[in-house]
Amino acid sequence: MTAHQSPRATPQSLVEQGLAASISDDCVVIVRDATSANLRWANNTLTTNGVMHGLHVSVVSFVRGPGGTGTGTVSSTATTQAQVTELVRAADAAARAADPAEDAAELVRDRVSPDWSDPAEPTDIHTYDVLAPALGEVFGRARSQQRVLYGFVNHEVTTTYLGSSTGLRLRHVQPTGHYGCTGKDAALSQSAWVGGATRDFTDVDALAMDDVVAQRLAWGARGRHDLPAGRYDTILPPSSVADLMISAYWASGGRVAHDGQSFYSVRGGGTRIGERIVAPGVHLFSDPAQPGLECAPFLTAASSSNDASVFDNGLELGRTDWIRDGELRALTQTRHSAGLSGQPVTPYVDNLVLDVEGATGSVDDLVAGTERGLLLTCLWYIREVDPQTMLLTGLTRDGVYLVEHGEVVGLVNNFRFNESPVDLLTRFSHASASVPSFSREWGDDYFSRTATPALRVPDFRMSSVSQAM
Amino acid sequence: MSGTRVDPSFLALPHRHLGEVALARAGELGATHADFRFERVRYQHLAARDGVLQAADDTQDIGFAVRVVHHGAWGFASGVVLTPQEARSVAARAVAVAEVAATMTSTPVELAPEPTYDDVTWVSDYEIDPLEVPTAEKAAVIVDWTRRLREHPGVEHASGFVLAVRENKYYADLHGTRTTQQRVRMQPGFEAMGTGAGGFDSMASIAAAVGRGWEYVVGGSPGAAWDWDAEIAEVPGLLAEKLAAPSVEAGRYDLVIHPSNLWLTIHESIGHATELDRALGYEANYAGTSFATYDQLGSLRYGSSVMNVTGDRTTAHGLASVGYDDEGVQAQSWDIVSDGVLVGYQLDRSMAAMKPELAGPDRPSGRSNGCAYADSPGHVPIQRMANVSLQPDPDGPSTEDLVSRVERGLYVVGDRSWSIDMQRFNFQFTGQRFHRIVDGELAGQVRDVAYQATTTDFWGSLEAVGGPQTWMLGGAFNCGKAQPGQVASVSHGCPTSLFRDVRILNTTEEAGH
């Protein structure tokens, strides 16, 4: 196969080859060069690891006809110009055969990133040159102190190149890293977890990570309190708030809301934009330029759906207030759905910030101010039960602690909860300052760029007890 | 196995040469074990809404991976440039990663032995490769589904989709095994949405994801196709009934559960709980561990005495069915729960080496039961789920007979929402529809229902399983596990089954509304 033996092409040359080869009316080519390196451990020893490289090309062809514009998308791993040419032929053919697209719009034109010509930025196993030996030390320390550690670190750098026949040449480099460590006591009778996001691992200290795990296990060793299901004054740390807010964000599709089929709908059709849906002073927004949470400032879409449109490729993304001062201000919109609902175009952005006006301090301050309540560590297996009420179910995990008179006094059993994240934003009694956070449930694979406060909710619904430890 | 051949365009790729180069390089560098996977996975996704095609996307992953054991530690690397130079380089990277890993590896990696398979080929059982069917033909089908659903006045919106996958995989290792495989799978579906006095709701198809081809939609040999026309005709009426149904009264009910719902409960509460890597702590930081710990093998009362569960990688049309797994182990079937007692686990080669007694006295070094799988050429094989299925009673009752035994209960059909804790104790599931059972007869739907239980309580309340005539194979494309995250497809067969005294929640009350 000669095509697979050609010299390696640059991402930019793959884009140009694709655009030149297309015989459709318009064409968009998206190239993603991704490298990653990871380490995984369990039972105080490394288990798996790896370094990966992927080069993925998506070609979207647009063919205008008397009834409208048809589109076709074909994506593949591709490293040679010949492979890209094959993709273009398939995408062009698919577009010619397609019915007119309902989301058809003029393509975005003539924007060029100043760093377009730069090569893709990689990562490799040397990201862990400092962390790896420290992890080895941590494993030994855990063994000697009767702890069992399980964890994972991952670093990935994706360089995206977006080119179009209408003059787009956009490039973005997105480094994504995260760490997580679960610790258990020697009897496996309790768990603790610590985790977070990073960009380059220079700020991740394996020994400090283990210190936090050890501290939480020590909290648990102060005594176990078996509590029944019910409503509790509950402190949700930023990681748990991130878990819940991501679910609320993912449910915010403008088209589905306009069609009357989401929490954000008015009964019978139309959206609740303009309605106060949570407490005053609550702000939920996305911003590609948010310090520490930077993400792609332009839109890429290889496929159309209720929430995305291939015609919107290259749209500039900016700060979007989803909720401002408690009022629903925007839903995720394509240009097509925005047209249907008469709302501004507010596409999905890859970060999310929840901010409560005037909130200061940390989760420790919320603990100090609590007479009796629960302190959660993180949530797990969160699923939507009812889209109409945005009811979510899920479980506490790896550390629920009893707080009395402002102090953590011991370990509590796990619970299943049934709650709506937007209801929580109405009912909370206290909030801390927003800080970079990391969703235990969604951060690893989908959404790691969040900043959220800790929240104290006086009547958090624990639906039943979980025996899991 | 069908008579279908491996796609010649896959066979024309340079997989064999790259494999020999990579394995040779790993051997030169001192690896004591090395395996090579070359994969091409093609996906097609079509989506329609209200009579309009929304998306038609073709995606393909091609690449290769080298995994080694070196200095007692794993090393893994993958690449996408299909040249001999890159194969050598990726093999060297895998060895280099193992050298880094060795400093943190206190338990040397061991693999249970497996016979060598000298250049064997396996193709899954399907009739029409869905990726060879013209896209326009498939699109027309799902567009037509949504159009026909919208013709009913109570259906405000309708969506339809098809996911089709063809997976080609070549495996080679330093011990001489060479396997070439091709698998096809399909997941079509639709959903109708409407509004009633209680708000909006939906009713979706209960058709399962299957290891079949396009014959699942258009028909082929007897039994190959789902009856889409009948379901499309039925769903608008079921939706209207659901929208007008009363909200359930929370409490305890007997449940007759149809396979279209029970498969998912099996997946979560048995399938994942009996993965040995979880039971031994190797998923503790992510997907979790298991209440079914190894010390309870042979003694854990998992459920009632009518509960018999098998693990099977050979099930016809199963989504987890293979000829050989991603460590070169031949597919097998075995018992997991017998007469209600835990008797087996799912294994890969490293798990099998840790617990060799699971293979019996004739295999003192153990043997994997073939549960290693990687979802792409960029991921390391991990222990994944076999087709885990609940066996029917050979002389068991029909669904109607089971319903007739219930005085006050619910008949549960179709899956919807699911959640279970990290040790697989506490779960909560909803469904597509819940029919009231009053004095042994169906008496209309109720809505806002979820059932919640602890795994062993739930399976302990299993009073009866239906006969083979009620048995169906359900399944999913999207089972998530591991770090980095991977997805796998898996099937679960089960009969309609009767459970006594299960907790039912009213989800509207749970939401505080």
Side-chain angles (χ1 to χ4, degrees), chain B residues 339-408:
Chain B
D339 302 328
V341 175
L342 175 70
V343 297
Y345 286 99
Q346 303 162 72
L347 312 168
D348 62 13
R349 289 178 69 178
S350 63
M351 294 298 125
M354 291 180 193
K355 303 294 179 188
E357 62 274 19
L358 283 167
D362 56 326
R363 292 179 183 271
S365 299
R367 189 190 181 198
S368 166
N369 47 32
C371 290
Y373 177 73
D375 69 354
S376 79
H379 281 148
V380 67
I382 56 168
Q383 192 215 289
R384 292 310 305 253
M385 206 181 295
N387 304 300
V388 173
S389 298
L390 176 68
Q391 298 307 305
D393 175 350
D395 304 312
S398 67
T399 298
E400 292 73 22
D401 289 337
L402 291 170
V403 169
S404 73
R405 298 181 191 183
V406 173
E407 198 171 303
R408 175 178 179 269

Side-chain angles (χ1 to χ4, degrees), chain B residues 63-254:
Chain B
F64 64 91
V66 179
R67 186 178 68 154
V68 302
V69 178
H70 183 56
H71 296 325
W74 285 120
F76 176 83
S78 71
V80 292
V81 179
L82 308 184
T83 63
Q85 298 90 326
E86 184 72 356
R88 282 175 61 85
S89 173
V90 167
R93 281 206 293 276
V95 171
V97 169
E99 285 172 353
V100 172
T103 64
M104 293 172 280
T105 302
S106 54
T107 307
V109 175
E110 290 184 31
L111 302 178
E114 179 70 12
T116 295
Y117 304 100
D118 183 10
D119 209 2
V120 291
T121 297
W122 186 88
V123 179
S124 68
D125 192 359
Y126 63 91
E127 297 171 27
I128 306 170
D129 184 339
L131 292 163
E132 297 301 324
V133 176
T135 299
E137 189 176 323
K138 288 173 284 193
V141 168
I142 61 168
V143 167
D144 180 56
W145 288 351
T146 61
R147 192 176 288 140
R148 284 155 62 191
L149 288 166
R150 280 294 303 279
E151 286 171 359
H152 294 268
V155 177
E156 294 171 352
H157 299 283
S159 60
F161 69 92
V162 176
L163 298 172
V165 182
R166 184 174 69 215
E167 178 184 291
N168 285 107
K169 193 171 293 205
Y170 172 74
Y171 170 91
D173 64 33
L174 272 182
H175 312 286
T177 286
R178 304 285 185 271
T179 68
T180 305
Q181 302 188 83
Q182 177 163 300
R183 299 200 298 159
V184 162
R185 52 188 181 265
M186 289 265 299
Q187 184 174 22
F190 61 79
E191 185 172 25
M193 289 145 272
T195 306
F200 67 84
D201 214 323
S202 67
M203 186 71 70
S205 166
I206 61 169
V210 289
R212 292 186 185 271
W214 188 237
E215 69 275 7
Y216 188 48
V217 175
V218 298
S221 59
W226 182 256
D227 194 342
W228 299 97
D229 289 341
E231 196 179 30
I232 286 169
E234 184 183 40
V235 154
L238 291 168
L239 174 62
E241 183 189 356
K242 184 181 189 180
L243 290 168
S247 199
V248 71
E249 183 182 336
R252 302 192 75 86
Y253 291 76
D254 296 338

Side-chain angles (χ1 to χ4, degrees), chain A residues 278-295:
Chain A
V278 297
V282 171
H283 303 268
L284 185 70
F285 66 93
S286 299
D287 184 350
Q290 181 71 17
L293 303 178
E294 293 86 352
C295 62

Side-chain angles (χ1 to χ4, degrees), chain A residues 187-390:
Chain A
L188 307 183
S189 64
Q190 65 153 322
S191 288
W193 174 80
V194 60
T198 178
R199 299 291 163 257
D200 55 13
F201 277 90
T202 58
D203 54 349
V204 179
D205 178 342
L207 292 163
M209 184 171 71
D210 181 51
D211 286 343
V212 175
V213 168
Q215 179 202 39
R216 293 181 180 179
L217 290 174
W219 285 349
R222 292 174 183 173
R224 182 179 170 87
H225 304 262
D226 289 317
L227 297 180
R231 290 188 179 272
Y232 288 91
D233 196 348
T234 299
I235 299 165
L236 303 168
S239 62
S240 298
V241 175
D243 281 321
L244 297 167
M245 291 309 117
I246 289 169
S247 293
Y249 183 38
W250 282 344
S252 69
R255 176 163 189 186
V256 171
H258 176 71
D259 286 348
Q261 292 164 3
S262 89
F263 171 84
Y264 300 107
S265 301
V266 173
R267 180 72 62 86
T271 75
R272 297 174 68 183
I273 291 174
E275 185 180 325
R276 185 177 296 284
I277 62 167
V278 297
V282 171
H283 303 268
L284 185 70
F285 66 93
S286 299
D287 184 350
Q290 181 71 17
L293 303 178
E294 293 86 352
C295 62
F298 58 87
L299 188 149
T300 54
S303 177
S304 288
S305 66
N306 286 329
D307 301 322
S309 169
V310 292
F311 292 91
D312 291 350
N313 270 300
L315 275 185
E316 198 167 354
L317 303 176
R319 174 174 170 134
T320 306
D321 289 322
W322 309 110
I323 294 173
R324 187 190 300 161
D325 196 17
E327 180 185 306
L328 182 66
R329 300 290 296 181
L331 296 166
T332 52
Q333 303 273 12
T334 65
R335 284 185 290 174
H336 177 239
S337 71
L340 291 175
S341 61
Q343 294 292 333
V345 180
T346 48
Y348 180 86
V349 178
D350 195 21
N351 65 19
L352 189 66
V353 178
L354 177 70
D355 189 50
V356 177
E357 245 171 60
T360 58
S362 68
V363 66
D364 293 339
D365 296 306
L366 295 190
V367 169
T370 298
E371 185 59 26
R372 189 172 194 273
L374 303 178
L375 169 63
L376 306 187
T377 300
C378 55
L379 304 177
W380 187 246
Y381 223 133
I382 303 164
R383 292 293 181 276
E384 184 182 78
V385 176
D386 181 0
Q388 185 156 272
T389 57
M390 207 188 288

Side-chain angles (χ1 to χ4, degrees), chain A residues 259 303 381 388 397 444 469, chain B residues 49 57 268 286 423 483:
Chain A
D259 286 348
S303 177
Y381 223 133
Q388 185 156 272
R397 177 174 181 180
D444 267 30
M469 291 188 287
Chain B
R49 181 181 170 89
D57 316 314
E268 299 290 4
Y286 183 65
Q423 282 191 297
Q483 292 176 305

